Amino acid sequence: MKLALALLATLASLSAAAQSYRERLPQDEVIYFVLPDRFANGDPSNDRGGLTGDRGTTGFDPTDARYYHGGDLKGLTSKLPYLQKLGITAIWVAPIFVNKPVQGGSGQQSAGYHGYWITDFTHVDPHFGTDADFAALVAAAHAKGMKVYMDIVVNHTADVIQYRECGACAYRGRADYPYQRRGGVNGAPINPGFAGDDVGTVANFAKLTDPSYAYTPFVPEGEKAIKHPAWLNDPIYYHNRGDSTFAGESSLMGDFVGLDDLMTEHPRVLEGMIDIYGSWIDRFGIDGFRIDTARHVNPEFWAAFVPPMLERAHAKGIPNFHIFGEVADPAAQAAHTITAKLPSVLDFAFRQALLDSVAGTRGTDVFEKLFDGDVLYAQGTDTSAILPTFSGNHDNGRFAWFVRKAFPQASEAEVLQRVLLSNALLLTLRGVPTIYAGDEQGFAGGSNDVDAREDQFGSKVAQYNARKLVGSDATTATSRFDETNPIFREIATLARLRTATPALTRGRQLLRAREDKPGLLAFSRFDPATGAEVLLAFNTSTEPLTRQVQVEVKSVNFRSLAGSCAPRASAPGSLTITLPPLGYAVCAAETQQ
């Protein structure tokens, strides 16, 4: 009887968790971004992805930063309790699709451990496990009330298509190499009647039959059927114009460092990608998509792609499916929520403000300029509220590296304080805070992608193990899941504070103080139901400060949620704030009606 009651209680608890996580809005989450290969190795038998041979075939070499190291989905699943203790509520998983194990010319080879060189969009890469392993991860996360976001790629596939004319081919634009001529304006007529790629009808693209307008593309004999679904093997569905310069027309139509650039204007490509990613929603019940290289795809594609994804999610009983695109240009990110109709984008502008102020010497007024721009998003502050914010990532480097670069004479204690302050800003201001795996263990990484992708399960890469961690005397040579690390403890505390305080997840944000030099930054956030005020105060300088900060007149008594807060307003509408160097405080008002 007792066993039955215990089982019923467990099932009730799981049911409550499942119900509550579905109800949460995107801004209610604390996201953890992880590359499975670098996180935890739950099954060493899949380290080589079922392949045999040396690293040039299997892609596996745990001593080289550019190859597979053995982390997998079983390992990630085993660490869900660790992530729960960190206060994480949603896991963003780097692409897990089948990748080309190794690509690159002689001396330039590296492996697809990161997941962005896809050949099969329909299954899990054997290096990470199986489809069943992914289903088990999603089910285990959901049972704990945690969401799972997939990192997806539409812009390109692995580098399979080659050109007869050259290896690394320069971009050839539409004016000099139009679709209706072979190899330039003076070439032989081809594709008669094709009206251009901006006429997105099936009838028009049926007239595009010859892909040799800029270069002569071909697929090597041994790779003619390497991609799945099978339609992806036909060069007609790619731009075939050579390498992007990441500017102008080539930004949308050029190969991303040689990767095969899909012609996303083509109706067949749109239809195919809707089928592919809709299937992942149908099969696994995931909770959202992060879209890689979103700005390198024509905006019309996203406007047509997003609605079917939301419809599939709703049909699956997922009402708050979160879609956010990578637009790695702070000046362009708001525009993509309008032109491309992306529901949300990664907030690179927020990261830049953190770098400028906490890992730099600019004034706190950078945040005023940042948040003044929130009105530019498609739905204004409603959109800005669901932008995933972050301090560093797998492409652009870790925040601690930038601190050490900007302040080479700083003590380790100061470096730690700056990292802690950045997390306080990240976890209390508007947006959806996103922690990059390893940051909570003081990983200091580097300024680029490879250097910022350290192993968390004990590394054999010399360049990783030689780096000093922040807040710890350990190195990445040993497994780094230390729950006593001061950064881990701070994130865990602030994450729980955030998720327990509606003002910090869904509340309106109001600037209270900023300076044109390092120093005070203050915001009020308001409970969306009660209007109760929570004051956030930060000191980006290395000197202590005491200042008066404006608050609501009805905010009289205060209690400290983090840091130290004066217990009572100095006068109606004013609170004394005292902060240590690089310190912060979170003060909750008890209002007088």
Side-chain angles (χ1 to χ4, degrees):
M1 183 64 176
K2 289 183 179 180
L3 181 60
L5 290 174
L7 179 59
L8 286 173
T10 300
L11 291 175
S13 175
L14 294 176
S15 177
Q19 183 179 15
S20 61
Y21 84 81
R22 291 294 195 206
E23 294 171 352
R24 295 197 308 258
L25 299 179
Q27 58 265 49
D28 296 336
E29 311 302 342
V30 176
I31 302 172
Y32 191 82
F33 170 52
V34 59
L35 279 74
D37 180 65
R38 302 300 164 93
F39 189 62
N41 190 348
D43 185 0
S45 71
N46 62 30
D47 287 355
R48 292 171 174 78
L51 304 170
T52 56
D54 62 14
R55 72 176 194 171
T57 300
T58 68
F60 179 69
D61 183 350
T63 68
D64 192 316
R66 297 179 182 273
Y67 284 77
Y68 284 98
H69 291 173
D72 51 35
L73 294 173
K74 285 183 178 178
L76 177 53
T77 303
S78 73
K79 294 299 181 183
L80 291 180
Y82 166 84
L83 296 181
Q84 273 199 310
K85 291 177 183 177
L86 186 60
I88 300 304
T89 67
I91 307 165
W92 155 19
V93 185
I96 57 169
F97 314 102
V98 179
N99 267 231
K100 193 171 185 179
V102 179
Q103 66 180 40
S106 178
Q108 301 295 319
Q109 284 191 326
S110 60
Y113 68 90
H114 41 69
Y116 295 102
W117 299 344
I118 305 170
T119 54
D120 184 349
F121 287 75
T122 64
H123 292 293
V124 169
D125 191 297
H127 289 88
F128 302 142
T130 65
D131 291 4
D133 291 336
F134 184 59
L137 167 65
V138 175
H142 285 173
K144 294 181 178 296
M146 303 169 76
K147 295 181 180 179
V148 177
Y149 299 152
M150 290 187 76
D151 200 322
I152 69 170
V153 185
V154 164
N155 178 65
H156 57 263
T157 72
D159 183 12
V160 175
I161 298 173
Q162 306 298 313
Y163 303 129
R164 299 286 182 194
E165 292 81 358
C166 46
C169 299
Y171 184 78
R172 289 181 170 179
R174 289 175 294 182
D176 293 324
Y177 296 87
Y179 290 108
Q180 289 203 32
R181 292 292 184 272
R182 177 177 289 116
V185 293
N186 297 317
I190 57 174
N191 302 318
F194 181 61
D197 52 45
D198 57 345
V199 180
T201 65
V202 173
N204 181 48
F205 274 88
K207 299 171 183 175
L208 182 67
T209 59
D210 188 336
S212 59
Y213 35 82
Y215 291 104
T216 309
F218 72 98
V219 178
E221 191 62 36
E223 297 182 313
K224 287 188 179 297
I226 194 174
K227 296 179 184 179
H228 299 277
W231 61 267
L232 287 163
N233 293 298
D234 191 338
I236 200 65
Y237 298 123
Y238 299 81
H239 284 122
N240 303 309
R241 290 188 173 275
D243 281 352
S244 176
T245 65
F246 303 105
E249 176 189 301
S250 82
S251 183
L252 295 178
M253 298 188 175
D255 294 342
F256 196 104
V257 195
L259 297 169
D260 300 349
D261 195 73
L262 278 157
M263 183 178 278
T264 45
E265 301 85 357
H266 201 299
R268 182 67 183 91
V269 175
L270 172 62
E271 174 192 16
M273 287 296 166
I274 289 173
D275 287 345
I276 287 169
Y277 291 118
S279 173
W280 286 90
I281 297 172
D282 294 343
R283 288 185 288 156
F284 299 97
I286 53 169
D287 305 284
F289 289 147
R290 179 268 192 180
I291 302 172
D292 179 67
T293 53
R295 68 172 172 148
H296 300 300
V297 173
N298 59 305
E300 297 82 2
F301 177 91
W302 298 125
F305 175 84
V306 168
M309 295 301 99
L310 296 177
E311 290 169 8
R312 295 284 274 268
H314 289 164
K316 187 72 175 177
I318 310 168
N320 297 307
F321 195 81
H322 194 190
I323 297 177
F324 50 100
E326 180 197 28
V327 180
D329 179 357
Q333 62 187 46
H336 278 71
T337 67
I338 299 171
T339 58
K341 295 183 171 56
L342 287 170
S344 178
V345 292
L346 282 166
D347 198 347
F348 281 83
F350 182 95
R351 170 183 177 267
Q352 190 59 53
L354 277 182
L355 291 179
D356 289 343
S357 59
V358 184
T361 58
R362 292 188 62 183
T364 58
D365 55 354
V366 297
F367 285 94
E368 178 181 32
K369 297 171 185 174
L370 168 69
F371 296 129
D372 279 351
D374 284 356
V375 297
L376 301 176
Y377 291 94
Q379 305 300 324
T381 56
D382 287 345
T383 298
S384 67
I386 62 172
L387 305 180
T389 51
F390 63 101
S391 61
N393 67 18
H394 62 314
D395 288 329
N396 304 105
R398 293 190 186 270
F399 185 81
W401 185 91
F402 289 95
V403 171
R404 285 178 171 160
K405 178 184 178 185
F407 303 99
Q409 304 305 316
S411 67
E412 279 303 300
E414 179 180 333
V415 173
L416 174 60
Q417 283 305 120
R418 289 185 181 276
V419 169
L420 295 177
L421 180 58
S422 73
N423 286 325
L425 287 154
L426 179 65
L427 285 155
T428 58
L429 293 175
R430 74 98 178 101
V432 190
T434 304
I435 308 298
Y436 176 35
D439 278 357
E440 80 280 7
Q441 294 296 330
F443 285 15
S447 63
N448 61 26
D449 52 2
V450 173
D451 285 341
R453 297 173 179 177
E454 303 99 319
D455 301 307
Q456 205 156 331
F457 57 96
S459 184
K460 297 180 181 179
V461 179
Q463 69 198 68
Y464 292 162
N465 297 339
R467 296 189 185 123
K468 183 173 179 55
L469 301 183
V470 179
S472 172
D473 293 328
T475 74
T476 55
T478 58
S479 180
R480 303 313 316 144
F481 296 96
D482 179 10
E483 296 171 17
T484 68
N485 184 290
I487 305 174
F488 180 99
R489 293 201 309 268
E490 186 213 32
I491 291 174
T493 298
L494 288 173
R496 283 175 172 75
L497 173 61
R498 181 184 183 92
T499 54
T501 309
L504 300 183
T505 54
R506 304 188 186 187
R508 176 173 64 93
Q509 179 173 284
L510 175 64
L511 178 67
R512 293 297 195 184
R514 89 290 182 270
E515 300 181 357
D516 60 3
K517 62 182 184 299
L520 180 64
L521 176 68
F523 292 90
S524 288
R525 302 199 66 183
F526 300 91
D527 188 297
T530 68
E533 181 175 12
V534 176
L535 182 70
L536 313 172
F538 312 92
N539 180 9
T540 65
S541 78
T542 54
E543 300 294 331
L545 65 80
T546 298
R547 298 277 291 279
Q548 295 302 128
V549 175
Q550 183 183 2
V551 293
E552 297 295 288
V553 171
K554 64 182 180 180
S555 296
V556 177
N557 299 314
F558 287 83
R559 56 190 175 91
S560 302
L561 300 182
S564 180
C565 305
R568 190 171 179 83
S570 309
S574 182
L575 182 71
T576 302
I577 288 292
T578 299
L579 295 173
L582 301 172
Y584 64 90
V586 180
C587 309
E590 297 175 2
T591 61
Q592 177 176 297
Q593 299 300 327

